Amino acid sequence: MKAETISPGFHHWHDLTASQISRVAAEAVVILPIAATEQHGPHLATGTDTIIADTILQELYDRAPATGTYLCLPTMAVGASDHHVSFGGTLSLPPLLFCQILVAQIRCLAAQGHTRVLLFNSHGGNIAPMQTALAELAVELHAKRAVAAGLSYWQLARELWSTIPGLEGRALSHACEFETSIIYAARPDLPRNPPPEKSEWSDSVHEHCSLALPFSAITEKGVFGEPKVATAEKGQELVKRAASCLREFLVEFSAYEPSQ
């Protein structure tokens, strides 16, 4: 590899020089992982969302997409988690401030000639700020022939996950079978505290209605789902399939050209 060039594939931003990054800015996809540091019940580490994001991205580093150049920024380990604060162990940025930070980060990248930015999300509380940031920047980026996108790993992988043998849950919730399984697979070194009993989502007016409530108002232990049925084997398959979906998406996004 020449000193000022990098090959196609998956690269960690921090491993590159400014000159190397600048040379591929116009064609590379910049991945900004956005995660959280927050309570995950009595059995999972507060870094669960960050660990999951990094684990999926490590799968891409180990087996990069077939085409394209991808620059992965360090994971933002603090997100919008105000609704978890009462349980302790939580760091949070207010949703509006977090949105403004995302806007500032993407603007900074666009000012340096980057044309494709992906917000790769691993925390439910980040969804609304992420979508608002994208809406805020849509016209501005389009005028620069640039584009930003955002996705959450569980939404991307939902269909492929549905066929995993033995997986009992229908969808990822919080500190549930899915997240617990991934942590068991990704970090077997962490203590395995006994997971709590199954907890269903409660106090819902309607399944399509969002309520402004903290987690403490709707769950006693900070958990939704059934973590007791989690296994490392399920976690390995969840990560593998999530990485496969992300790999496929990145190839498409790398080739995307905004229309006039």
Side-chain angles (χ1 to χ4, degrees):
M1 178 187 299
K2 296 182 180 179
E4 297 300 329
T5 62
I6 61 173
S7 60
F10 191 96
H11 302 272
H12 291 295
W13 185 283
H14 274 179
D15 293 341
L16 304 172
T17 66
S19 297
Q20 288 174 318
I21 292 169
S22 295
R23 283 177 177 266
V24 297
E27 67 265 17
V29 172
V30 178
I31 303 169
L32 176 55
I34 56 175
T37 299
E38 62 181 28
Q39 72 83 26
H40 270 75
H43 66 298
L44 290 183
T46 58
T48 289
D49 290 339
T50 301
I51 293 168
I52 290 174
D54 290 344
T55 300
I56 293 171
L57 291 168
Q58 183 62 42
E59 286 282 315
L60 290 188
Y61 183 78
D62 293 339
R63 191 164 73 87
T67 59
T69 302
Y70 308 94
L71 309 179
C72 189
L73 286 159
T75 301
M76 292 180 62
V78 178
S81 299
D82 285 2
H83 50 302
H84 290 279
V85 167
S86 61
F87 284 99
T90 297
L91 296 175
S92 181
L93 294 167
L96 178 58
L97 177 57
F98 185 63
C99 172
Q100 292 171 332
I101 290 170
L102 295 179
V103 169
Q105 294 284 55
I106 296 171
R107 276 187 178 143
C108 183
L109 291 166
Q112 297 171 70
H114 294 279
T115 61
R116 298 175 185 84
V117 180
L118 172 66
L119 301 178
F120 179 61
N121 178 45
S122 61
H123 166 53
N126 291 343
I127 293 176
M130 175 180 74
Q131 292 176 333
T132 302
L134 295 175
E136 179 74 16
L137 289 165
V139 175
E140 177 182 330
L141 292 180
H142 187 71
K144 294 182 177 182
R145 300 286 295 159
V147 64
L151 59 81
S152 302
Y153 75 88
W154 64 90
Q155 294 174 331
L156 183 68
R158 181 178 297 161
E159 184 175 345
L160 203 57
W161 278 355
S162 65
T163 59
I164 293 177
L167 196 64
E168 296 186 20
R170 293 182 299 171
L172 182 142
S173 47
H174 185 76
C176 58
E177 175 189 10
F178 293 65
E179 289 190 327
T180 304
S181 292
I182 293 175
I183 294 301
Y184 285 172
R187 291 294 305 274
D189 57 305
L190 292 177
R192 286 203 183 186
N193 299 323
E197 298 294 333
K198 182 177 181 180
S199 176
E200 298 284 3
W201 188 275
S202 60
D203 291 335
S204 178
V205 175
H206 189 277
E207 63 177 334
H208 299 302
C209 173
S210 297
L211 292 176
L213 291 171
F215 253 47
S216 58
I218 47 181
T219 169
E220 180 182 354
K221 296 184 181 297
V223 173
F224 287 120
E226 192 170 7
K228 279 186 174 292
V229 298
T231 68
E233 291 73 24
K234 292 177 185 177
Q236 291 169 354
E237 195 62 29
L238 287 164
V239 169
K240 178 182 176 182
R241 296 191 186 202
S244 176
C245 291
L246 181 57
R247 190 179 295 111
E248 183 177 332
F249 171 84
L250 285 171
V251 170
E252 295 180 11
F253 190 49
S254 179
Y256 176 77
E257 294 288 348
S259 59
Q260 292 288 347

